[in-house]
């Protein structure tokens, strides 16, 4: 029996035809001729000659029941590792190719995004250049600058002749000294001061509301001397005081209107008729204001005439100017002609809010009531957006204002009263610091109510 501790060496020697050490050799046909360690018994062939060496190209002899030689196990393990390595190499190659494909796609997408971004930036730059081209200069561009051949540049004319400047007296305060003293004492001993502050705060919040598009407020009357220009000047001054965006006051009454004088303009050059031939859509606010008269604060004036008789203004010219200027100014106050002039009717229909001034007299209220009845036949927003202002021309008018106001309100319009003011009655430049307290309150409240009405119609 082979040595159990060295059976592997015996197997190797048996494969090479050798005999284990210490075992006597027997005949090739005898039992001793069998390889040592081979199982004995029937069914097993005897070995008649030594097996050829596997190193010369012969495969090793496998005997039934024998385990594989260590060399064969090593060779099979090497083949298995080689196959695993080859499969791993193929898998890594496939993964690498997939990664390369993804990177190529990402690179192409990045390049496409970069190209689109460059195209977008180029288009934006071109659009900005085209948009900015008309606004490069602070002076009107050559495309819309009045040329001497197409339009004659008007000369600047003073609002008041120099020989009449000294004729005006010192302006008076709108309220007497005794009335002002009485009011000061009353405010000291009562709690009305807190109420006044609360009301002023509420009105200021209304007047400072932002707008998406310019609001146009038309002021007209049915006869002269009703305080139409005075109310328009008070509104323009109030809006300019409270608002941050530009405010425009337009004189759409070329028949020797007094609006420039009431607002304190010293000289006039361009009128609304001249501006109708000049204005173009590509103008900027800086270009527009070069043709306007600057007023105190952030307000501007477009006069209707230069104080000359015979100036004309058509409805088409008025519409063209107002449509062009609407986007530049937050609020525009229009001092219209008296009704039923054509421009006044066009202004009333195009404005977002309307003011109809009437003297606080029986004749004034009767005529105004007739006009309101006519306006009831127009679209509902016209009468709903109209405010009637009864102006007191004397300290104590012979009219029950409360009863007159109720009669006018029955038509659907709002009614407010502008009290008598000595400063306003004297004419000339309106100085807000000289207005009576009641006048300032009425003007501010009127401006807030009309502005709210203009916000309701877009």
């Amino acid at each position: 029996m082979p040595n159990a501790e060295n059976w592997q060496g015996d197997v190797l020697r048996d494969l090479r035809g050798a005999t284990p050490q210490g075992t006597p050799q027997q005949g090739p046909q005898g039992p001793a001729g069998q390889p040592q360690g081979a199982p004995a018994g029937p069914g097993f062939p005897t070995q008649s000659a030594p097996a050829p060496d596997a190193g010369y190209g012969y495969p090793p002899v496998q005997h039934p029941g024998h385990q594989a030689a260590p060399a064969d196990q090593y060779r099979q393990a090497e083949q298995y590792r080689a196959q695993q390595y080859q499969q791993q190499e193929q898998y890594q190659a496939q993964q690498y190719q997939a990664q390369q494909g993804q990177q190529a796609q990402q690179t192409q997408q990045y390049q496409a995004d970069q190209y689109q971004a460059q195209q977008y930036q180029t288009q934006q730059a071109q659009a900005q250049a085209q948009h900015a081209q008309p606004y490069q200069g602070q002076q009107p561009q050559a495309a819309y600058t009045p040329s001497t051949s197409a339009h004659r540049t008007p000369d600047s004319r003073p609002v008041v002749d120099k020989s009449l400047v000294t004729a005006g007296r010192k302006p008076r305060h709108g309220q007497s000294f005794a009335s002002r003293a009485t009011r000061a004492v009353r405010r000291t001993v009562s709690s009305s001061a807190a109420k006044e502050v609360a009301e002023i705060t509420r009105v200021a919040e209304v007047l400072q509301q932002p707008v998406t598009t310019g609001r146009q407020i038309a002021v007209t009357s049915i006869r002269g001397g009703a305080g139409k220009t005075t109310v328009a000047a008070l509104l323009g001054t109030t809006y300019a005081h409270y608002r941050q965006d530009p405010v425009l006051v337009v004189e759409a009454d070329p028949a020797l209107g007094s609006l420039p004088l009431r607002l304190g303009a010293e000289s006039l050059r361009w009128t609304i008729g001249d501006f109708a031939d000049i204005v173009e859509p590509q103008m900027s606010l800086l270009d527009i204001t070069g043709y306007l008269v600057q007023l105190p604060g952030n307000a501007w004036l477009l006069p209707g005439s230069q104080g000359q008789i015979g100036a004309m203004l058509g409805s088409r010219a008025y519409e063209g100017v107002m449509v062009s200027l609407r986007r530049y100014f937050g609020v525009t106050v229009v001092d219209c002609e008296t009704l039923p002039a054509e421009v006044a009717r066009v202004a009333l229909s195009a404005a977002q809010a309307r003011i109809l001034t009437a003297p606080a007299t029986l004749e004034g209220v009767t005529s105004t009531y007739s006009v309101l009845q006519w306006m009831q036949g127009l679209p509902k927003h016209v009468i709903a957006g109209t405010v009637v202002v009864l102006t007191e021309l004397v300290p104590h008018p012979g009219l029950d204002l409360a009863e007159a106001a109720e009669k006018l309100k029955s038509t659907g319009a709002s009614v407010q009263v502008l009290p008598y003011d000595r400063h306003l009655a004297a004419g000339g430049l309106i100085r807000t610091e000289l207005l009576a307290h009641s006048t300032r309150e009425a003007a501010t409240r009127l401006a807030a109510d009309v502005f709210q009405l203009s916000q309701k119609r877009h």
Side-chain angles (χ1 to χ4, degrees):
M1 181 177 182
N3 186 4
E5 296 179 358
N6 196 20
W7 67 272
Q8 294 180 352
D10 295 339
V11 171
L12 291 177
R13 282 189 294 273
D14 179 60
L15 292 175
R16 293 186 177 91
T19 356
Q21 295 179 0
T23 302
Q25 296 186 358
Q26 304 233 346
Q29 301 295 332
Q34 294 182 358
Q36 187 175 359
F44 289 91
T46 58
Q47 183 175 1
S48 59
D53 192 357
Y56 291 93
Y58 294 95
V61 178
Q62 299 289 342
H63 298 281
H66 278 242
Q67 295 184 355
D72 295 336
Q73 294 179 354
Y74 177 78
R75 197 161 31 250
Q76 292 176 1
E78 288 295 325
Q79 291 177 357
Y80 177 76
R81 283 195 295 269
Q83 290 177 358
Q84 292 293 326
Y85 179 77
Q86 185 177 6
Q87 292 178 358
Q88 185 177 4
E89 288 290 327
Q90 292 177 355
Y91 176 76
Q92 292 179 355
Q94 293 175 358
Q95 292 287 48
Y96 177 76
Q97 292 177 357
Q99 292 178 359
Q100 290 293 108
Q102 292 179 358
Q103 290 179 359
Q105 291 180 357
Q106 293 176 358
T107 303
Q108 292 178 357
Q109 184 65 30
Y110 176 77
Q111 292 176 353
D113 294 341
Q114 288 292 104
Y115 177 76
Q116 292 179 358
Q118 291 176 359
Q119 291 293 327
Y120 176 77
Q121 292 177 357
T122 303
Q123 293 175 0
Q124 288 293 103
Q126 291 176 355
Q128 291 178 0
Q130 292 176 0
H131 180 73
Q133 185 175 2
Y135 315 104
Q136 289 177 356
Q138 296 185 354
Q139 299 298 327
Q141 301 294 318
Y144 48 81
T145 301
S147 61
T148 55
S149 58
H151 306 288
R152 183 184 64 86
T153 302
D155 298 328
S156 179
R157 297 176 60 92
V159 175
V160 180
D161 191 272
K162 294 182 179 180
S163 60
L164 298 176
V165 174
T166 57
R169 294 183 177 179
K170 182 180 179 180
R172 302 174 62 187
H173 198 282
Q175 194 174 10
S176 64
F177 178 78
S179 299
R180 282 178 283 165
T182 302
R183 178 180 175 276
V185 173
R186 188 178 303 168
R187 291 184 69 231
T188 304
V189 298
S190 66
S191 60
S192 60
K195 295 181 180 179
E196 290 182 6
V197 172
E199 178 65 15
I200 292 173
T201 303
R202 182 193 69 82
V203 172
E205 291 178 353
V206 173
L207 292 173
Q208 293 174 356
Q209 291 179 359
V211 294
T212 54
T213 57
R215 306 285 92 183
Q216 294 181 0
I217 301 171
V219 184
T220 187
S221 63
I222 58 175
R223 64 181 64 181
K228 169 178 66 69
T229 301
T230 299
V231 171
L234 288 174
L235 288 178
T237 304
T238 303
Y239 290 132
H241 175 73
Y242 282 96
R243 298 192 62 81
Q244 298 296 325
D245 47 9
V247 175
L248 177 64
V249 184
V250 178
E251 185 184 35
D253 184 4
L256 298 178
S258 60
L259 184 62
L261 179 62
R262 297 295 258 171
L263 291 175
E266 297 180 356
S267 61
L268 306 176
R269 181 184 296 272
W270 302 97
T271 64
I272 187 172
D274 301 326
F275 198 74
D277 300 329
I278 298 170
V279 64
E280 291 189 3
Q282 67 267 26
M283 283 184 170
S284 65
L285 177 62
L286 187 61
D287 300 324
I288 294 294
T289 54
Y291 297 98
L292 305 178
V293 179
Q294 188 171 6
L295 301 174
N298 199 20
W300 305 85
L301 167 66
L302 180 59
S305 68
Q306 290 185 321
Q308 297 176 339
I309 299 176
M312 301 296 293
L313 177 63
S315 59
R316 288 189 177 182
Y318 171 80
E319 288 179 338
V321 170
M322 298 308 296
V323 170
S324 300
L325 294 181
R326 180 178 178 179
R327 63 189 180 96
Y328 298 100
F329 300 92
V331 178
T332 300
V333 180
V334 185
D335 182 13
C336 303
E337 295 177 299
T338 56
L339 291 172
E342 181 182 8
V343 174
R345 288 186 280 111
V346 171
L348 289 178
S349 61
Q352 286 76 42
R354 289 145 292 277
I355 294 180
L356 185 61
T357 61
T361 60
L362 183 59
E363 298 85 355
V365 173
T366 303
S367 302
T368 303
Y369 183 73
S370 300
V371 173
L372 293 177
Q373 288 180 322
W374 167 76
M375 294 177 67
Q376 283 180 322
L378 301 176
K380 292 184 179 180
H381 71 269
V382 176
I383 190 71
T386 300
V387 178
V388 176
V389 178
L390 298 176
T391 57
E392 294 183 352
L393 305 180
V394 293
H396 303 286
L399 181 69
D400 188 345
L401 293 178
E403 184 178 353
E406 289 299 324
K407 182 64 176 179
L408 297 177
K409 287 180 181 179
S410 64
T411 61
S414 304
V415 180
Q416 294 196 23
V417 178
L418 183 65
Y420 172 78
D421 189 285
R422 296 190 308 176
H423 179 66
L424 294 179
L429 170 64
I430 296 178
R431 298 175 56 181
T432 55
E433 69 273 11
L434 296 180
L435 293 175
H437 178 74
S438 58
T439 304
R440 289 198 298 269
E441 280 188 339
T444 307
R445 185 169 54 251
L446 173 63
D449 293 346
V450 174
F451 181 75
Q452 279 187 320
L453 289 177
S454 70
Q455 292 281 67
K456 296 180 180 179
R457 184 190 174 200
H458 302 284

